[in-house]
Amino acid sequence: MAAVMIDGRAVAAKWKEEIAGQTREMIERGVTPHLAVVLVGENAASQVYVRNKENACRKAGMGSTVIRLEEDCSQQALEEVVKGLNQDPAVHGILVQLPLPAHLDEAAVLRLIDPDKDVDGFHAMNSGRLMNGQKGFVPCTPLGVMKLLEAYDIPVRGKHAVVIGRSNIVGKPMAMLLLAADATVTVCHSRTQNLSEIVRQADIVVAAVGRAGFVTKDMIKPGAVVIDVGINRVDGAIVGDVDPEVAQKAGYLTPVPGGVGQMTIAMLLHNTLEAVRLHGW
Ligand code: NAP
């Protein structure tokens, strides 16, 4: 039987609607949630991502500011911008669009963001909170995956979840969230041996590799839940990390586009409202 296609667009639209309502309430109470995005240089993909974030804020009724810095801007200039945003009481969430140009120290910049405004959840304080089971900002993409599983009532407790990829942005926080939801979690990466065999044992597979069609039908247990985080450009089209034929064998599958990607921005808006609440509103 063909897999149920998880409709990320529909789930994200519901989240955005609720967020817009909560934003209106906050504005009535005298505070306008505000996201500041720092964009360095001319990276074409980053420009698109930032424009999408601005649009999403506008549609939700939130304020947003994009601070654009030249490609050759200095570390000091960038850090001054972040420090200024940390101090600005009208700014609730701060996001530095990655990747930064190679001459800039990304880790140092992320360390500088006030952890209580770190709506991307990349600050070590927030990774630590996630690791320790404390409240904090959770990176938007893995948080979005958890919300998709919840939206489709897909049980996680006691299931074997295999996460392919171990980046700080997706793979590692994804593994932590699944563990916190009582899954038995295996993390695979480029040095994993017998990866196909491991993935075949999974009840839930999360692919965050960055390689088109990496997960194939023969790697999937019949009925497994397959979450495709990948965004790859192939001949001008956007495709995921999961071969579409997997739909013939999986129980659930997220499409690309229209799956996880839709949830990432919704969770960014959600985290921005969390930041407002954290500041006592
Ligand atoms: P990344 O930092 O490049 O990490 C990729 C991970 O995949 C690494 O851990 C790497 O292992 C592993 N990997 C690479 N080749 C492999 C192989 N042959 N076998 C097993 N593992 C392999 O990428 P990322 O930032 O996590 O993103 C992953 C994908 O998700 C990308 O396509 C990205 O565009 C997409 N993404 C989507 C969203 C969204 O909103 N939907 C958000 C963020 C990212 P090593 O650690 O050993 O190198």
Side-chain angles (χ1 to χ4, degrees), residues 190-254:
S190 68
R191 305 301 162 99
T192 298
Q193 292 180 6
N194 305 323
L195 185 140
S196 300
E197 271 173 43
I198 296 168
V199 176
R200 253 193 300 277
Q201 294 166 23
D203 304 304
I204 301 171
V205 180
V206 181
V209 190
R211 287 172 181 242
F214 182 85
V215 175
T216 49
K217 198 170 87 173
D218 61 298
M219 292 161 74
I220 296 299
K221 179 161 89 175
V225 177
V226 182
I227 306 291
D228 191 352
V229 177
I231 299 180
N232 309 289
R233 268 164 234 275
V234 176
D235 299 331
I238 302 283
V239 300
D241 288 346
V242 176
D243 189 310
E245 282 197 355
V246 164
Q248 297 165 18
K249 206 167 170 193
Y252 290 88
L253 176 63
T254 60

Side-chain angles (χ1 to χ4, degrees), residues 96-127:
V96 176
Q97 184 65 42
L98 302 179
L100 291 172
H103 69 282
L104 295 170
D105 182 345
E106 205 165 276
V109 175
L110 295 182
R111 256 197 319 272
L112 206 63
I113 297 174
D114 177 348
D116 290 344
K117 293 190 177 187
D118 171 38
V119 286
D120 254 345
F122 296 161
H123 191 288
M125 178 74 85
N126 284 314
S127 324

Side-chain angles (χ1 to χ4, degrees), residues 19-33:
I19 287 166
Q22 291 164 15
T23 302
R24 273 194 301 277
E25 283 172 22
M26 285 177 178
I27 292 171
E28 278 163 19
R29 294 209 309 273
V31 62
T32 303

